[in-house]
Amino acid sequence: MIDIDQLMFKLEKNNPGQPEYIQAVREFLESIEDFINDNPQYEDSGIIDRIIEPDRSHIFKIAWSDDEGKVQVNKGFRVQFNNALGPYKGGLRFHPNVNLGVFKFLGFEQVFKNALTSLPMGGAKGGSDFDPKGKSNDEVMRFCQAYMLELWKLIGTELDVPAGEMGVGTREIGYLFGMYKKISGQHSGVLTGKGIDWGGSQMRNHATGYGLIYFTAEMLKANNMELKDKRIALSGFGNVAWGAAQKATEMGAKVVSISGPDGHVYFENGMDMEMIDYMLELRSTNEDIVRPMSYEFPNVQFRQNKKSWEVRCDIAIPCAIQDELNEHDAAILVANGCKCVVEGANMPCTPEAIDYLKENAILFAPGKAANAGGVATSGLEMSQNALRYQWSNEEVDKQLFTIMKRIHDLCREHGTDEDGKIDYVKGANIASFKKVANAMLDQGMI
Ligand code: GLU
């Protein structure tokens, strides 16, 4: 029998000051505990101890010069977590609040998320404590170049394929790719999220948000509801929230809120396409604020220092950052009639919030299932690069839809209880654990 408390005691002792990593591993193990006990081969062969430990964690110095010619130093990270299913794969986050523990948590989640896509990808994550806010274009370029001067030794099309994440979009991928190409002399698929004209895939920017809504629609259908006319509260206003807003609106739902760190914007009658297009413009200002939305559109209200979770909604989709939705927020959502919470970001709900939602019979989908559309489309970009070919928008969208539906089916297959109710956390964790663990068993103790 697995002793989770003892395992976690050891993990905490060996990884001090890494609460996000500890939280992610504990949540995961607790949800698959029964499955592990019913299948003792995993524990007997040491799979549990091996699967929660990253293969390796790289930390490196990045020195670069700002526009005044002053030397700046940041920390770079790349956590290569597990490559049982394919080359390491996962995004790069540039954000001042990152550290090794955050990247270990993200890398751990990525392993199982990538497994759910059914594409041949292992899991990794990386980035830097570089803060892109307020930096000039030249500064971002110099930083990306300096970052790649270290990272290039660690990556490769068959080894590790990074992509964008928070603070890293097409522009940054461009500068990173340019430097990789210069050093290696190779124009290869070593990064995903590339520009459409130089190796990128159609739909990559839309994919996480579109995939989220495809998953949400499947989830509602499986629970005798539909997306049309539902009021959706989103948090964030970046890539994920934008794609989700666009697809949800297109499918007849009403997006009633988006947010930034300084507050949220309320759309009583739902967003229209003009507002969604304006989200893109806002994002490109790099200022991290949503307030201008209310200057641009007369009936739109900005509510300073308030969260999206205070509005009446049927579905809440946190798309900003880890632990942004706590137990208090969950209680407000439930009191306001919310029926479904879908994680758009990685681990945006605290464990207490998830418990509260479950106790109140709220449908809940974890990020590793619901937001896998982004990395799935990265996987499709890798396929296209290997084929030296580019699929059409429609082709990629069709494949994305099929993948999200398959992830939903996997959750249903592994998470349905005797009463026919689907536990999406359990379903996603067991399905992905089985894939990774079985591959590790097949490949021996390495
Ligand atoms: N950062 C995204 C995620 O969390 C995408 C990673 C990728 O495309 O490799 O899944």
Side-chain angles (χ1 to χ4, degrees), residues 90-225:
L92 298 172
R93 176 181 291 191
F94 290 172
H95 193 276
N97 294 346
V98 296
N99 54 47
L100 181 60
V102 167
F103 287 119
K104 279 162 74 175
F105 129 63
L106 290 167
F108 180 75
E109 289 287 298
Q110 198 78 43
V111 172
F112 302 101
K113 183 196 306 200
N114 294 1
L116 285 173
T117 67
S118 301
L119 299 174
M121 300 182 289
K125 208 86 183 193
S128 172
D129 60 359
F130 171 77
D131 186 359
K133 210 156 90 186
K135 301 289 188 299
S136 72
N137 186 50
D138 282 357
E139 286 176 326
V140 170
M141 181 177 75
R142 282 197 298 277
F143 175 78
C144 289
Q145 292 175 337
Y147 185 85
M148 187 50 86
L149 275 173
E150 279 295 325
L151 188 73
W152 81 282
K153 302 167 214 166
L154 312 173
I155 62 177
T157 51
E158 308 304 316
L159 171 61
D160 184 354
V161 182
E165 221 247 12
M166 222 185 254
V168 180
T170 314
R171 175 182 66 165
E172 289 74 16
I173 291 292
Y175 295 146
L176 291 162
F177 183 77
M179 185 49 107
Y180 181 85
K181 193 177 62 153
K182 178 141 181 105
I183 309 167
S184 67
Q186 289 178 5
H187 193 297
S188 73
V190 71
L191 295 167
T192 60
K194 299 185 288 299
I196 291 294
D197 294 328
W198 41 275
S201 173
Q202 299 289 354
M203 299 287 303
R204 178 62 190 88
N205 289 334
H206 311 64
T208 313
Y210 276 32
L212 255 179
I213 300 300
Y214 292 151
F215 188 91
T216 307
E218 284 301 309
M219 191 174 168
L220 293 175
K221 203 161 78 187
N223 289 277
N224 304 317
M225 288 185 259

